[in-house]
Amino acid sequence: MVYREEFQVTSNAGVPTFHNVTGQTKNAVKNSGIRNGIVVVYSRHTTCCVIIEEDAFDMAITGLETLQQDFVEVFEKLIPTYRKEGMYQHPGPKALKFGAEHGEDAQACHNTDAHLRSSLVGRSETVVVIDGKMDLGEFGNIYFIDFDQTRARTRTVQIQVIGE
Amino acid sequence: MVYREEFQVTSNAGVPTFHNVTGQTKNAVKNSGIRNGIVVVYSRHTTCCVIIEEDAFDMAITGLETLQQDFVEVFEKLIPTYRKEGMYQHPGPKALKFGAEHGEDAQACHNTDAHLRSSLVGRSETVVVIDGKMDLGEFGNIYFIDFDQTRARTRTVQIQVIGE
Amino acid sequence: MVYREEFQVTSNAGVPTFHNVTGQTKNAVKNSGIRNGIVVVYSRHTTCCVIIEEDAFDMAITGLETLQQDFVEVFEKLIPTYRKEGMYQHPGPKALKFGAEHGEDAQACHNTDAHLRSSLVGRSETVVVIDGKMDLGEFGNIYFIDFDQTRARTRTVQIQVIGE
């Protein structure tokens, strides 16, 4: 048996956005009627990804939770935000031309860091479903991360439940 | 068809622990009777994760295999072990208060490195099942990694087999 | 319902190889007749992995696309190519002996970087299948990456479609 839901989230500009989609995923599992199997939470956007992490309680000055901010800092060290020309080879002239022809301004094309970060993390997470419930342990939450900081955007989160 | 097994492993303090769960996963696939599909090996703990890697034969002085120790060294560079105050923003005052109220000592709350490392790696690995067997190639092993070094702990490994 | 295809790709020496397997995966989903579910693209090789990323249009001088080259540079910083003795603990004497007994030259055993990089990325990606089609968004491509630079090799890509 396969059951699907999708919904939209709106990301901020200027900072990676962590969307807590645990509640929506729990509801989808419930709505599916599936008792045992898996649920896949998936991003079709190539600058977004999915992780499972604890709720950290405390907030950083950026508006992210402390553990989210620490996660961002790891990437700031490894794959820094695209701040000036020449940090990455992408986007090249053809990519910029393609962007311009499709109504993207040049600044929005310089989201290379988001492409690299999100592909390293992975586009989806899979959670086991047992007796009609996701097993996230005591503290697990599912976050859909939008690493693209160049502009505010609406994104689609896909939830696919498979089982019996 | 869906089949599930779970079992416990016990991690060490002072070092990330690599649990080789290949044998248990092979048995679960066999017990499932499923001939073709996938098997998901999953951690519900937010400081643990799953990888597929070679057996390295040789041991490092830490008790880890050389390839495991090399993996740990990568993280020591990128997401160093929490050794002194101020390395990470997490845990903040609310997280420490929550921990104290739930019987955790302050030192055990400073497992931020384990949270970040394991969420970057990912909570599960999926392996294809063909003719009743996992396809791990000639050398693949499945490791359940506990990155939390703050104390010895018992952990639950989930195995979910889906197919026909 | 479960449907499976596999095929071979040939990797280059001296550079990580990015195999675009989007076309083959689309065909496998079509051939499966499955309308809704998931497709798993999987590597059984422990120096290969799978990512979903944009086509970057522009080429770097290495023959990789710019975004692929940027991805490689991230790893060159974090997990540099094994260029001289002592960069990693693996391969140790037992691993070298095992390699020699199985016809591998010593140079080919020094693919530690490929083991570490690919296990960090993950052996598979899962894509949702909706109304008979993968949902890769407008720009997503599936790349099977061979991080082993020590020699040209033939590799097997596994595609497993599950659903109804």
Side-chain angles (χ1 to χ4, degrees), chain B residues 50-54 125 127 136 140-142, chain C residues 42 46 119 123:
Chain B
V50 181
I51 66 164
I52 299 170
E53 190 52 281
E54 262 193 36
E125 279 289 340
V127 181
L136 285 172
N141 282 272
I142 305 170
Chain C
Y42 170 79
T46 54
S119 62
R123 303 284 166 221

Side-chain angles (χ1 to χ4, degrees), chain A residues 42-63:
Chain A
Y42 170 79
S43 164
R44 71 181 178 206
H45 307 286
T46 54
T47 49
C48 302
C49 58
V50 180
I51 66 165
I52 300 169
E53 190 54 279
E54 263 193 37
D55 173 348
F57 299 102
D58 302 277
M59 306 302 285
I61 55 169
T62 53

Side-chain angles (χ1 to χ4, degrees), chain B residues 3-145:
Chain B
Y3 177 84
R4 191 172 78 81
E5 286 192 13
E6 67 173 52
F7 59 93
Q8 314 276 310
V9 292
T10 303
S11 303
N12 303 316
V15 68
T17 307
F18 286 66
H19 300 281
N20 189 334
V21 299
T22 316
Q24 295 97 322
T25 311
K26 275 185 185 164
N27 282 343
V29 170
K30 194 179 166 191
N31 295 342
S32 75
I34 287 170
R35 302 292 301 164
N36 292 288
I38 55 172
V39 54
V40 176
V41 183
Y42 170 79
S43 164
R44 72 180 177 208
H45 307 286
T46 55
T47 49
C48 302
C49 57
V50 181
I51 66 164
I52 299 170
E53 190 52 281
E54 262 193 36
D55 172 349
F57 299 104
D58 302 277
M59 306 301 287
I61 55 169
T62 52
L64 297 181
E65 295 181 18
T66 51
L67 201 46
Q68 296 167 354
Q69 187 62 40
D70 288 331
F71 197 61
V72 170
E73 289 306 314
V74 167
F75 284 107
E76 208 49 66
K77 192 160 63 170
L78 181 63
I79 306 170
T81 301
Y82 207 141
R83 290 196 178 85
K84 59 176 183 182
E85 284 84 349
M87 289 179 67
Y88 300 100
Q89 296 208 35
H90 167 273
K94 287 183 192 166
L96 288 170
K97 185 161 177 284
F98 179 89
E101 286 167 1
H102 291 75
E104 267 193 10
D105 65 22
Q107 200 257 334
C109 290
H110 287 75
N111 57 0
T112 313
D113 55 285
H115 281 292
L116 300 174
R117 293 174 180 189
S118 62
S119 62
L120 180 54
V121 173
R123 303 283 167 222
S124 69
E125 279 289 340
T126 299
V127 181
V128 300
V129 174
I130 305 172
D131 297 334
K133 285 186 183 165
M134 282 195 290
D135 186 5
L136 285 172
E138 219 174 330
F139 301 113
N141 282 272
I142 305 170
Y143 296 97
F144 181 96
I145 308 176

Side-chain angles (χ1 to χ4, degrees), chain C residues 23-42:
Chain C
Q24 295 97 323
T25 310
K26 274 184 186 164
N27 282 342
V29 170
K30 194 179 165 192
N31 296 341
S32 74
I34 287 170
R35 301 294 300 167
N36 291 288
I38 55 172
V39 53
V40 177
V41 183
Y42 170 79

Side-chain angles (χ1 to χ4, degrees), chain A residues 1-2 4 6 38 40 42 44 46 77-80 88-95 98 112 115-116 119-124 126 158 160 162, chain C residues 36-38 51-54 56-58 60 66-67 69-71 74-75 77-78 121 125-130 135-137 139-140 162-164:
Chain A
M1 226 166 79
V2 179
R4 191 172 79 79
E6 68 174 50
I38 55 173
V40 177
Y42 170 79
R44 71 181 178 206
T46 54
K77 191 160 65 170
L78 181 62
I79 306 170
Y88 300 100
Q89 295 207 36
H90 168 273
K94 288 183 191 168
F98 180 89
T112 313
H115 282 292
L116 300 174
S119 62
L120 180 54
V121 172
R123 302 283 167 222
S124 69
T126 299
Q158 299 279 0
Q160 202 88 339
I162 301 193
Chain C
N36 291 288
I38 55 172
I51 65 165
I52 298 169
E53 190 53 280
E54 261 193 36
F57 299 104
D58 302 277
T66 52
L67 202 45
Q69 188 61 42
D70 288 331
F71 196 62
V74 168
F75 284 106
K77 191 159 67 171
L78 181 62
V121 173
E125 279 289 340
T126 299
V127 181
V128 300
V129 174
I130 304 172
D135 187 5
L136 285 171
F139 300 113
I162 301 193
E164 59 187 10

